[in-house]
Amino acid sequence: SSDVCSSDLVNHDGTVKRVSVKKSSGHQILDKVSKETIKKWIFIPAKSMGLPVESNIQVPIKFVLTELN
């Protein structure tokens, strides 16, 4: 298996503003796919005093690589 951990900035509307790979899987293609996928996600934004705000989050992704026979 290969793990990627990203450090991301989520906008007040839940969209992803920035994705950075914090821990690489060691495979450039897996890191790239992780970033592209996370950018498409919509999160429930953090709140401060009842209002949505930008926030930093970390997202772990685990890839399990198997061989096709």
Side-chain angles (χ1 to χ4, degrees), residues 47-65:
K47 290 188 177 182
S48 177
M49 298 177 64
L51 299 174
V53 294
E54 282 188 351
S55 62
N56 289 294
I57 63 169
Q58 292 184 14
V59 177
I61 297 180
K62 182 178 196 89
F63 290 94
V64 178
L65 307 175

Side-chain angles (χ1 to χ4, degrees), residues 2-4 21 23-36 63 65:
S2 293
D3 299 341
V4 176
V21 173
K23 177 184 173 267
S24 173
S25 66
H27 302 277
Q28 192 173 26
I29 188 68
L30 298 181
D31 295 348
K32 182 180 181 214
V33 168
S34 296
K35 286 177 71 171
E36 290 172 355
F63 290 94
L65 307 175

Side-chain angles (χ1 to χ4, degrees), residues 15-26:
T15 59
V16 178
K17 186 174 188 176
R18 183 185 68 238
V19 178
S20 303
V21 173
K22 184 175 179 181
K23 177 184 173 267
S24 173
S25 66

Side-chain angles (χ1 to χ4, degrees), residues 10-15 41-47 52-53 55 57:
V10 177
N11 284 313
H12 68 277
D13 63 0
T15 59
W41 292 351
I42 305 294
F43 291 88
I44 297 171
K47 290 188 177 182
V53 294
S55 62
I57 63 169

